[in-house]
Amino acid sequence: MYVGSCLGALCRVAQPDTLKAILAAGPLAVQQPPAAAARQLNGVVLATAAKYAGARLEDAGLLKPFTDAIKAAARDADTGVKTAAARAAARLASAVVGAGSAQAGGVLTATVATLQALLGPDQGSEVVRVTLLAVRGLAMDLAAGGEASEALLDPHAPALVPSMCAVLATGQVSGITRSTAEAALQKLLRVESGLEVAQRYLASGPAAVARQTLTDSFLRRLQKLTDEDLFASEEY
C-alpha cells in the first residue's frame, strides 16, 4: 500500500490537473475495481489525500465528489476499505475546518454521518476500533484549533456518543477497542478540562445507552485517563 500512500501524499503538491487525474483514476472513479486489493489501494489514496490535500479540494472543485467517495468506501464490504473511509472522513473534516472553509459545516455533518455508520453494530471489530481512533483524532485536531474550532463537534455529539457508548455496553469487544472508545469519549466530551460539555450533553436528553454509560463515576475516570502512549504510534 506504499504506492497508495505516495499517490495520496503527492496530492499535497501536485498541480490542480494532476491532483484531479490522480483522484479520478483511483478513489473518485465511478466504477471501483472488483478486486479487494485494488479497492484497498484506492482507499489508501483517499485517506492519504484527505490528510495532505483535504484543504485543496474545494478550490479544485473536488470537495463533493471526494466526500461522496468516502461515503461509498464506508459501504464497501472490505474491512481495509472501510477503515480507510473512517480515516479519510476524519482527516477531511479536520482539513476543511482548519482551512476555514465556508463548506466546513456541511462537510462535518457528512463526515460525522459516515463515522457514525462505521460505529454501528453491523461493523467488524477492526472497523469500529479504527473509527474510534479517527473520532479521537478529529476531536484532538479541532481542539488544537482553539475554542471555536473544538466547539464545532458539540452539535454532533448526539450522532456519535450513543454509538460509542454502545461499543462499551456490549461487553463483547476487545480490551484495546474498549480503551480506544474511552479515549475517544474523553476527547470528544473534553472532560480533561471539566465536565461542562458532558453535562450539557446529558441534559439534552440523550439515548438511554448514553445516559447509562456516562455516569458521574465513569466521567471522572475518563478525566484521569493517561494512556496517550497507547495511541501515540498509530495514526488515525
Side-chain angles (χ1 to χ4, degrees):
M1 296 303 167
Y2 291 112
V3 172
S5 296
C6 290
L7 285 172
L10 179 61
C11 292
R12 181 177 189 173
V13 296
Q15 294 296 317
D17 286 347
T18 304
L19 170 64
K20 292 178 181 179
I22 291 172
L23 295 176
L28 302 195
V30 175
Q31 188 68 41
Q32 288 294 301
R39 298 199 312 278
Q40 289 171 10
L41 177 64
N42 286 343
V44 172
V45 176
L46 190 72
T48 310
K51 177 178 180 179
Y52 291 111
R56 303 184 61 198
L57 297 174
E58 184 175 4
D59 288 343
L62 295 173
L63 191 54
K64 185 180 187 305
F66 197 93
T67 305
D68 289 343
I70 292 174
K71 294 178 184 177
R75 295 191 295 268
D76 196 282
D78 184 83
T79 295
V81 180
K82 285 177 177 288
T83 55
R87 292 187 173 100
R91 291 171 176 177
L92 179 63
S94 174
V96 173
V97 169
S101 168
Q103 303 297 318
V107 170
L108 194 55
T109 297
T111 52
V112 164
T114 296
L115 293 168
Q116 180 186 17
L118 291 171
L119 288 171
D122 57 332
Q123 303 295 332
S125 59
E126 180 63 3
V127 172
V128 170
R129 186 189 72 82
V130 173
T131 304
L132 290 166
L133 195 65
V135 172
R136 177 179 181 271
L138 174 59
M140 292 175 68
D141 284 352
L142 297 192
E147 292 184 9
S149 174
E150 69 178 354
L152 291 175
L153 266 181
D154 291 353
H156 300 285
L160 291 172
V161 174
S163 297
M164 297 163 73
C165 290
V167 172
L168 295 171
T170 62
Q172 299 177 353
V173 296
S174 65
I176 186 62
T177 300
R178 176 173 293 276
S179 297
T180 308
E182 292 177 350
L185 282 167
Q186 181 195 52
K187 301 302 181 185
L188 182 62
L189 295 174
R190 311 205 298 277
V191 297
E192 294 161 297
S193 58
L195 298 180
E196 292 80 6
V197 174
Q199 289 169 344
R200 282 200 304 272
Y201 170 69
L202 288 170
S204 70
V209 68
R211 294 197 309 273
Q212 293 163 4
T213 302
L214 301 178
T215 61
D216 285 343
S217 59
F218 178 79
L219 290 172
R220 296 196 183 282
R221 187 166 69 79
L222 289 188
Q223 286 184 298
K224 300 175 182 178
L225 287 182
T226 56
D227 53 359
E228 296 293 328
D229 290 344
L230 187 63
F231 309 99
S233 64
E234 184 171 4
E235 276 193 307
Y236 78 87

